[in-house]
Amino acid sequence: MATLSSLSEKGDDNGKPPQEAVALAAKKEGLGWIEWLMGWFYLAYEMLFQRIVASNVPNPMLLPPINDLTFIVTGSTSGIGKEIARQLAEAGGHVVMAVRNTKAANDLIKKWQENWSGKGLPLNIEVMELDLLSLESVARFAEAWNARSGRLHALINNAGIFSIGEPQKFSRDGYEEHMQVNHLAPALLSVLLLPSLLRSSPSRIVNVNSVMHNLGFVDPEDMNVTSGKRKFTSMVGYSSSKLAQIMFSSVLNKKLPTEAGINIACVSPGIVHTNVARDLPKIFQAGYQLIPYFIFSPEEGSRSTLFAATDPQLVDYTESLKSEDWPVCAFINHDCRPANPSEEAHNVETASRVWEKTLELIGLPSDAVERLIEGEEVKCRYWASK
């Protein structure tokens, strides 16, 4: 497991110090071939060696006392999210499963309560409906939660999609589905829930990211990938959305003053056996089943997120990054140690443009964060209560 001394480092060589990282071309139109090759190298390395690298991390993850702490976990009816929700609840946390399929969530809770019977107090879990393919649903969820005036100690943006091999699809809001589910909707949720996170300080926003962000490139003026400059593939959609999430999180981290007490981290769960295999061609599904040694189980894949959501060391680490004006937010690797995201993630100019464009797309004013910190009310154009 990571130690306090290990968290004092800024990561491995996968990244650049600020003075080198920001010197990137303003009008860059894609990854250079060296960046592209390195992205594939990091992906292959993680798949082949993640089990060895993370051999020191206990499974299941050992959690600190989290009684009376509240966690919202999106996408918690399957895969990593299901494990995160279950383990947090069994450790004594109050867990809110923010999901599209509320029946599936309630069925899971019933099963977990039965399995937990006799081991302690009943699990403190509830379900709230949230559909990330609808920004109106996101805004409605945030308004309903904030209206409770309850506490929120960690927002875990776990839900995501990777529609491998599928043609380009758009949400009802008009945005490419990978970009909306993996970046735009979590960004809107994070900003709109700031009042509850501020009320519960110290608190955290944890974004489940991916090593595949190393293959991503974001054009802030073409986030839907419809201009024709780049050919859309599911790989382009997924990797770009994950990179956009890191960039947005890094700017949000800088805009939140240290005294606000909200810490932000993106995490890589590793290469995990999840429902993404359902979208693979049959020949690849067969291969996916043949390499279980290399691929993490959902329980193993949940460890880095659980660490980032609960370990007290993260606070000092994120604050040290902020005090040194590090260009990116905290990034926790699958072995629960700090790492540096891709060189492109360090492009401060692009990150600023991604921030501005994201706020425009999700219907928030450019000064939304500042106003929320001051206690003002901010409305999203996708939802306004009567």
Side-chain angles (χ1 to χ4, degrees), residues 28 43 48 267 280:
K28 188 174 181 180
L43 178 60
L48 293 174
V267 303
L280 290 170

Side-chain angles (χ1 to χ4, degrees), residues 202-220:
S203 54
R204 308 178 186 195
I205 299 173
V206 179
N207 298 310
V208 179
N209 204 266
S210 171
V211 65
M212 288 177 64
H213 83 272
N214 286 284
L215 292 165
F217 177 81
V218 183
D219 181 349

Side-chain angles (χ1 to χ4, degrees), residues 237-277:
Y238 181 77
S239 60
S240 299
S241 67
K242 290 300 185 180
L243 176 59
Q245 183 181 65
I246 296 175
M247 288 179 161
F248 184 88
S249 300
S250 297
V251 178
L252 177 58
N253 185 60
K254 291 179 181 180
K255 286 186 173 291
L256 292 170
T258 302
E259 55 270 23
I262 301 176
N263 301 284
I264 300 176
C266 292
V267 303
S268 171
I271 310 297
V272 184
H273 194 292
T274 65
N275 285 342
V276 71

Side-chain angles (χ1 to χ4, degrees), residues 1-3 6-7 53 56 307 331-339:
M1 187 184 300
T3 63
S6 71
L7 283 178
V53 172
N56 63 314
F307 174 85
F331 190 90
I332 304 300
N333 209 9
H334 61 272
D335 60 351
C336 299
R337 294 181 183 275

